[in-house]
Amino acid sequence: MSDVRRVFFVSDRTGITAEALGHSLLTQFDVVTEQATIPFIDSVEKSRGALKRIRAASARDLNRPIVFSTIIDQDVLAVLRDSKDIVLYDFFDTFIKSLESELKVPPQQIIGRSHGMADDSMYDIRIEAMNFALHHDDGATLRHYGRSDIILVGVSRSGKTPAALYLALQYGIYAANYPLTADDLVDNRFGSGLPQGLRHQKDKLFGLTIDPDRLHQIRQERRPNSRYAELRQCEYEVARAEAMFRRERVPYLDITTMSIEEIASTLIHQRGLSRRV
Amino acid sequence: MSDVRRVFFVSDRTGITAEALGHSLLTQFDVVTEQATIPFIDSVEKSRGALKRIRAASARDLNRPIVFSTIIDQDVLAVLRDSKDIVLYDFFDTFIKSLESELKVPPQQIIGRSHGMADDSMYDIRIEAMNFALHHDDGATLRHYGRSDIILVGVSRSGKTPAALYLALQYGIYAANYPLTADDLVDNRFGSGLPQGLRHQKDKLFGLTIDPDRLHQIRQERRPNSRYAELRQCEYEVARAEAMFRRERVPYLDITTMSIEEIASTLIHQRGLSRRV
């Protein structure tokens, strides 16, 4: 028997939304939890199976299991709602009645509709954006920069690639990235400004920067004890890159304490980009 | 003046959760909406700014604007809650009181805590997983397969790369991928089974397959009128690949109607993988 609270995220689709909101709620409390996700619960039978699994896992617990649900179908949800041995937080149905009276139309209870399934174009846009990010990663090619929504600029390991890929997969946004190399940074010392390939794309540029200590730590993981990873080298590159951003009036973001989601969301917000999916 | 309902997702962080749940709720109703996200509202001042923006945008609307919020701080939220000219759906505070009585500890209202900010290790794990996926994309190298949590196998354009990258960025899971080439599929005709490089990793393999018509459409976009994109070629490759999966008892998934999230979530579920972040 243990005092750990057992938590389940149950969804008729992936469970990502239930996880995100449930996790966000739980981290406000100083409790130890054991969490599991049960996705694709889209029939009464599967819901009964989920309940069985939840009960089996919690049989020896001191407290009732906590279940966060985003299940849409009333009958499927009822299996969980009618079980008094679980604590149900229903993220969907809680709001649907109130929305119905506000919108003055009845809800349709269509599972999957909310997730863009069967909409090939949504998939295609994200894949195209991902391919774009991969083909325009690390300045691999300067062609097609014109098609990009944003061009991320920064020193090696300043978070350009994950940001570009996340923008693609989550939002369908076309992000290229250009790494500032030693040459770019030395040139810059003589005041020659932006690297050649970027000069005609100035309105799309966005700089990423990072605390030199953190950059040192990241590079050290990658190439231990190399000149590349030296703290002095990191300090030099970051200082030069930031000086370039300021002089050329390229907006830039310090990503040191940000998650990938936060970087992507900030770029969209500050650049006024529109999601394509 | 228009009958379109104006909708805002307001959050103290990225707004991704508010968007996901709000979008999911709205798609249950047959209404036309105009949606915008207002992220990083983490002070009373910013909340007043958001309210101003919402009011300005909705000034000529027939209906009140709908606001979905995941704001944690009571004072910040109060600015929206006290405004009678908006309809507020509060995804966070709605549940926090009930959770408090269930957990028997007071909530702490710490913004950002819920998102793993300032937790460098979370960032590092996802970046490492992403680098792993990129370096083990399209069978680029068979080294380090041992470190992978899952190895995705399938014909070209069956969704391996987006699935691997999404698993990395969202869950920190190490996913390699191996494309079944013409050689692999011809060999297979003589019964030689799995490609050489995969034989010692059989417990990590997961096949992805796709409807040949859809594959044809995707390849056609990429290389119009090539042999590679021909419907007959797609049919041949898919049939061979599926036969290999069945004969070698490699579990596989038809991704034809799935979103990237659903593919990733299904792989995790069916393989019993644990998220690392």
Side-chain angles (χ1 to χ4, degrees):
Chain A
M1 307 242 278
S2 97
D3 213 25
V4 171
R5 288 306 295 253
R6 202 171 298 273
V7 173
F8 296 88
F9 306 105
V10 186
S11 169
D12 47 31
R13 303 306 308 165
T14 64
I16 291 174
T17 305
E19 284 174 356
L21 186 51
H23 187 69
S24 179
L25 285 163
L26 285 173
T27 45
Q28 298 301 306
F29 297 96
D30 192 16
V31 288
V32 182
T33 60
E34 172 91 30
Q35 307 180 1
T37 302
I38 310 181
F40 305 113
I41 301 304
D42 55 7
S43 70
V44 169
E45 198 189 335
K46 287 185 192 163
S47 193
R48 287 195 187 117
L51 182 61
K52 215 167 162 178
R53 181 178 152 192
I54 292 167
R55 282 178 172 157
S58 330
R60 297 161 153 272
D61 290 0
L62 289 174
N63 296 299
R64 294 183 297 174
I66 292 170
V67 178
F68 295 105
S69 158
T70 49
I71 289 172
I72 293 174
D73 186 280
Q74 289 292 320
D75 296 333
V76 178
L77 181 62
V79 174
L80 301 176
R81 190 187 275 143
D82 298 344
S83 307
K84 298 304 166 205
D85 50 349
I86 67 173
V87 193
L88 181 69
Y89 294 92
D90 167 14
F91 291 154
F92 200 84
D93 211 46
T94 300
F95 301 101
I96 209 85
K97 286 243 169 345
S98 158
L99 257 175
E100 179 178 358
S101 81
E102 176 64 32
L103 295 171
K104 299 174 197 78
V105 284
Q108 313 184 38
Q109 294 210 13
I110 304 169
I111 300 171
R113 188 175 168 191
S114 60
H115 304 269
M117 272 178 67
D119 183 350
D120 290 350
S121 68
M122 301 274 272
Y123 183 86
D124 291 349
I125 290 167
R126 297 165 81 180
I127 302 301
E128 282 301 310
M130 180 201 73
N131 286 330
F132 184 88
L134 290 174
H135 293 144
H136 296 80
D137 188 35
D138 260 6
T141 164
L142 301 181
R143 284 183 307 148
H144 311 307
Y145 264 18
R147 279 178 54 205
S148 60
D149 297 312
I150 188 168
I151 302 169
L152 304 174
V153 187
V155 303
S156 172
R157 299 288 133 187
S158 57
K160 301 181 299 300
T161 303
L165 286 172
Y166 195 83
L167 284 169
L169 290 171
Q170 185 76 19
Y171 300 104
I173 288 174
Y174 282 56
N177 85 65
Y178 182 95
L180 293 172
T181 63
D183 281 350
D184 296 325
L185 296 168
V186 170
D187 264 352
N188 184 244
R189 178 169 152 198
F190 300 105
S192 61
L194 286 172
Q196 180 73 35
L198 299 179
R199 285 179 205 162
H200 298 294
Q201 304 291 344
K202 207 167 159 182
D203 54 331
K204 291 185 178 172
L205 302 184
F206 210 105
L208 296 185
T209 192
I210 183 170
D211 177 73
D213 288 318
R214 174 85 174 110
L215 182 62
H216 164 61
Q217 178 199 337
I218 291 172
R219 289 185 174 182
Q220 190 67 13
E221 283 282 318
R222 193 146 185 89
R223 291 197 221 149
N225 306 317
S226 61
R227 176 157 181 276
Y228 166 81
E230 266 176 25
L231 179 57
R232 276 190 57 186
Q233 178 66 19
C234 293
E235 286 169 342
Y236 168 84
E237 290 184 27
V238 168
R240 288 268 174 227
E242 291 183 2
M244 180 196 287
F245 297 149
R246 282 190 295 266
R247 195 174 50 233
E248 298 290 333
R249 292 193 168 70
V250 171
Y252 68 98
L253 184 65
D254 183 338
I255 66 136
T256 308
T257 59
M258 300 178 88
S259 68
I260 298 172
E261 288 88 343
E262 288 169 335
I263 298 168
S265 179
T266 304
L267 292 173
I268 289 173
H269 187 56
Q270 294 202 8
R271 252 321 188 210
L273 299 175
S274 296
R275 57 191 303 163
R276 293 182 197 269
V277 292
Chain B
M1 308 243 277
S2 99
D3 213 23
V4 173
R5 288 306 294 252
R6 202 171 296 272
V7 173
F8 296 89
F9 305 106
V10 185
S11 168
D12 47 30
R13 302 305 308 165
T14 65
I16 291 174
T17 305
E19 284 173 357
L21 186 53
H23 187 69
S24 179
L25 285 163
L26 285 173
T27 45
Q28 299 301 307
F29 297 96
D30 191 18
V31 288
V32 182
T33 59
E34 173 91 31
Q35 306 179 1
T37 301
I38 310 182
F40 305 112
I41 302 304
D42 55 7
S43 71
V44 168
E45 198 190 334
K46 286 184 193 164
S47 193
R48 287 196 187 118
L51 181 62
K52 212 168 164 179
R53 182 178 151 192
I54 292 167
R55 282 177 171 158
S58 329
R60 295 162 154 272
D61 290 359
L62 290 174
N63 296 299
R64 293 184 299 175
I66 291 171
V67 177
F68 295 105
S69 158
T70 50
I71 290 172
I72 293 175
D73 187 280
Q74 289 293 319
D75 296 333
V76 178
L77 181 62
V79 175
L80 301 176
R81 190 189 274 144
D82 297 346
S83 307
K84 298 305 166 205
D85 50 349
I86 67 172
V87 193
L88 181 69
Y89 294 92
D90 167 14
F91 291 153
F92 200 84
D93 211 47
T94 300
F95 301 102
I96 210 86
K97 286 242 171 345
S98 159
L99 257 175
E100 180 178 359
S101 79
E102 177 64 32
L103 295 171
K104 298 174 198 77
V105 285
Q108 311 183 40
Q109 294 211 15
I110 304 168
I111 300 171
R113 188 177 168 190
S114 60
H115 304 269
M117 271 180 68
D119 183 349
D120 291 349
S121 69
M122 303 273 272
Y123 183 86
D124 291 349
I125 289 167
R126 297 165 82 180
I127 302 301
E128 282 302 312
M130 180 199 73
N131 287 329
F132 185 87
L134 290 174
H135 294 143
H136 296 81
D137 188 37
D138 260 7
T141 165
L142 301 182
R143 285 183 307 150
H144 312 306
Y145 264 17
R147 279 177 55 203
S148 60
D149 297 311
I150 188 169
I151 302 169
L152 304 175
V153 187
V155 303
S156 170
R157 300 287 131 187
S158 57
K160 301 181 300 299
T161 303
L165 286 172
Y166 196 83
L167 284 169
L169 290 172
Q170 186 76 18
Y171 299 104
I173 287 174
Y174 281 56
N177 85 65
Y178 182 95
L180 293 171
T181 63
D183 281 351
D184 295 325
L185 297 168
V186 170
D187 264 353
N188 185 244
R189 179 169 152 195
F190 300 104
S192 61
L194 286 173
Q196 181 73 33
L198 300 180
R199 285 178 207 164
H200 298 294
Q201 303 290 345
K202 208 167 157 179
D203 55 330
K204 290 184 179 173
L205 302 184
F206 211 105
L208 296 185
T209 192
I210 182 170
D211 177 72
D213 288 319
R214 175 86 174 108
L215 183 62
H216 164 63
Q217 179 199 337
I218 291 171
R219 289 185 173 182
Q220 189 66 14
E221 284 281 320
R222 192 144 185 88
R223 289 198 224 148
N225 306 316
S226 61
R227 176 157 181 277
Y228 166 81
E230 265 175 27
L231 180 57
R232 278 189 57 184
Q233 178 66 19
C234 294
E235 286 169 341
Y236 168 84
E237 290 184 29
V238 168
R240 290 269 174 227
E242 291 183 2
M244 180 194 287
F245 297 149
R246 282 189 296 266
R247 195 173 52 233
E248 298 289 334
R249 292 194 170 68
V250 172
Y252 68 97
L253 184 66
D254 183 339
I255 65 137
T256 308
T257 60
M258 300 177 88
S259 67
I260 297 171
E261 288 89 342
E262 287 168 338
I263 298 168
S265 179
T266 303
L267 293 172
I268 289 173
H269 187 55
Q270 295 202 8
R271 255 316 189 213
L273 299 174
S274 296
R275 54 192 305 165
R276 292 181 198 270
V277 292

